[in-house]
Amino acid sequence: GGATWVEVHGLPDPVKVPDWAQVSLRLAADRVNPKKLYAFDEISGKGFVSDDGGMTFRFTTGALNAVPDYNLVVGSIQAAPEAEGHVWVTTGKELFHSSDAGETYVSVANVEESYAVGFGRAAPGRTHPALYLSGKVGETVGFFRSDDEGATFVRINDDAHQYGGANLIIGDARVYGRVYVAPGGRGILY
């Protein structure tokens, strides 16, 4: 309840980031297994995993893209709901996916840039949540949905509705196909 605190071990020491940047270390909790937590150090491009509820972390991979300090806002790590061990990382460039609880990550084919990723209700007949992406797929910048864990993407906006991009995107957990987008300074769209 916040009355006592214990130091976490295994994560990189804090680094100075530009005044406007929030942080350079991103965290995500597994949405199924409460003992699993994941970390992405944007500055070094390294991934970490905790198997004990966040008490200790261990380094797993250095294969993620480092994010330049001027672009730290695009780095994120997200754990998929209802899919233990499925972790997604945005780096401003490639989108990375881990299906083995952060031990290894693979670059998602056709995604050239990734600014934000989120999840929503699964498509009818599917078990994995719908994946929403703000980024660039196949030479096209926009907002996208994937119903097959990133194997294919469908663009869900058009050239007239870019809204200056978005660093936050998430699907509705109850309504398949409904997505919420937070473009900078333009309110919340769905």
Side-chain angles (χ1 to χ4, degrees), residues 76 110 119 134:
S76 71
N110 298 324
F119 309 95
S134 172

Side-chain angles (χ1 to χ4, degrees), residues 109-131:
N110 298 324
V111 176
E112 297 154 22
E113 297 175 9
S114 61
Y115 316 126
V117 67
F119 309 95
R121 184 179 181 102
R126 301 280 184 157
T127 56
H128 197 279
L131 175 72

Side-chain angles (χ1 to χ4, degrees), residues 78 88 90 95 115-123 129-135 142-147 150 153-154 156 168-173 175-181:
Q78 304 286 336
W88 299 80
T90 62
L95 174 67
Y115 316 126
V117 67
F119 309 95
R121 184 179 181 102
L131 175 72
Y132 293 93
L133 172 72
S134 172
F143 307 134
F144 301 88
R145 185 189 71 241
S146 174
D147 295 326
F153 285 90
V154 174
I156 58 174
L168 293 170
I169 187 168
I170 190 165
D172 192 309
V175 180
Y176 168 72
R178 181 180 291 163
V179 61
Y180 302 91
V181 178

Side-chain angles (χ1 to χ4, degrees), residues 69-131:
D69 66 355
Y70 63 82
N71 208 20
L72 291 175
V73 69
V74 301
S76 71
I77 185 166
Q78 304 286 336
E82 302 174 26
E84 183 175 352
H86 283 264
V87 187
W88 299 80
V89 174
T90 62
T91 65
K93 295 181 182 177
E94 297 166 277
L95 174 67
F96 291 92
H97 176 225
S98 174
S99 59
D100 60 4
E103 296 296 328
T104 61
Y105 287 87
V106 295
S107 177
V108 177
N110 298 324
V111 176
E112 297 154 22
E113 297 175 9
S114 61
Y115 316 126
V117 67
F119 309 95
R121 184 179 181 102
R126 301 280 184 157
T127 56
H128 197 279
L131 175 72

Side-chain angles (χ1 to χ4, degrees), residues 43-86:
I43 299 294
S44 68
K46 293 179 179 177
F48 300 84
V49 173
S50 172
D51 299 308
D52 58 9
M55 293 291 295
T56 59
F57 282 81
R58 60 186 167 74
F59 168 78
T60 57
T61 183
L64 303 169
N65 289 338
V67 179
D69 66 355
Y70 63 82
N71 208 20
L72 291 175
V73 69
V74 301
S76 71
I77 185 166
Q78 304 286 336
E82 302 174 26
E84 183 175 352
H86 283 264

